[in-house]
Amino acid sequence: DGCTIGAKVSLKKSVIGAHCNIGAGSKLNGCVVMDHVTIGDHCVLQNAIIGAEAVVEAKCHIKDSQVGPKCCVAANSTVRGE
């Protein structure tokens, strides 16, 4: 509800909360994105949980990880779980 999805976004097996913004060219696979999250352009997220009001800036790669509520992942970051 109230989400903005950019051009050429790929969403597979993912759940997107209300009022989220997903930037152009981003790819989400097996993710849970809570409410009011912003994901920048050209991000790749796999098996990730993104907490409410978090910001994932452009060109981030997040795999097998959790981003807490209201956290910010800086542009061009790579985050990998164990």
Side-chain angles (χ1 to χ4, degrees):
D1 188 32
C3 293
T4 302
I5 309 291
K8 297 187 180 180
V9 168
S10 172
L11 300 172
K12 296 181 181 176
K13 299 180 184 176
S14 297
V15 178
I16 309 299
H19 307 288
C20 291
N21 295 307
I22 301 178
S26 292
K27 298 179 183 182
L28 284 71
N29 185 6
C31 297
V32 176
V33 178
M34 303 298 181
D35 296 344
H36 300 279
V37 168
T38 299
I39 297 173
D41 294 344
H42 306 290
C43 291
V44 178
L45 284 68
Q46 184 173 353
N47 302 322
I49 299 172
I50 310 300
E53 300 181 29
V55 175
V56 178
E57 294 181 347
K59 298 182 181 178
C60 288
H61 289 72
I62 299 175
K63 183 175 181 180
D64 301 326
S65 299
Q66 185 171 348
V67 175
K70 299 184 180 181
C71 289
C72 180
V73 179
N76 299 305
S77 295
T78 298
V79 180
R80 292 189 184 181
E82 295 183 32

